[in-house]
Amino acid sequence: GETLTESAAILLSLDERHREAALLPPAGTPERAQALRWLLFISSEIYPLIEVIDYPERFEASPGTADATRALAKAKWRDRWLLVERAIAGAPWLLSGGFCLVDLYI
């Protein structure tokens, strides 16, 4: 077998290998575009901040600023999650059409 890393790649591969499961909306639909939008938003805008929060010393602008770096990353992380929360707006699933693999990713 193959080794596949990166959670978004794993989920997309599962969708491709198991189309019958309808893990994502059909290709070419606005719903699929929105699912991919949110999958990539979380992958690129939220998850990278976890490394900054966990290891701020790797990202501090100057020695001794790790705490401030962590605080800034946490604030950005919260702001970005609020965008996701607003998109869901109390619904059980991210997309109005129902469950998709992005709900697992969240």
Side-chain angles (χ1 to χ4, degrees):
E2 66 186 88
T3 299
L4 183 61
T5 63
E6 303 309 316
S7 53
I10 292 166
L11 292 173
L12 290 170
S13 293
L14 286 171
D15 174 64
E16 289 178 2
R17 293 176 185 180
H18 302 282
R19 297 271 184 200
E20 73 284 357
L23 297 173
L24 281 173
T29 63
E31 292 81 16
R32 187 177 183 98
Q34 286 301 310
L36 294 175
R37 170 201 178 200
W38 287 110
L39 180 70
L40 295 173
F41 177 82
I42 293 165
S43 176
S44 64
E45 295 291 330
I46 294 178
Y47 286 175
L49 289 169
I50 294 169
E51 182 181 9
V52 181
I53 292 166
D54 288 348
Y55 305 102
E57 63 282 352
R58 295 179 184 172
F59 302 91
E60 61 186 341
S62 57
T65 61
D67 289 341
T69 300
R70 176 181 282 128
L72 180 60
K74 281 183 178 180
K76 298 273 184 211
W77 186 81
R78 284 186 204 106
D79 289 344
R80 289 185 172 112
W81 272 117
L82 285 173
L83 293 172
V84 176
E85 287 182 21
R86 287 184 198 118
I88 296 171
W93 312 114
L94 179 64
L95 302 179
S96 61
F99 172 84
C100 76
L101 64 72
V102 181
D103 295 300
L104 295 174
Y105 200 56
I106 292 172

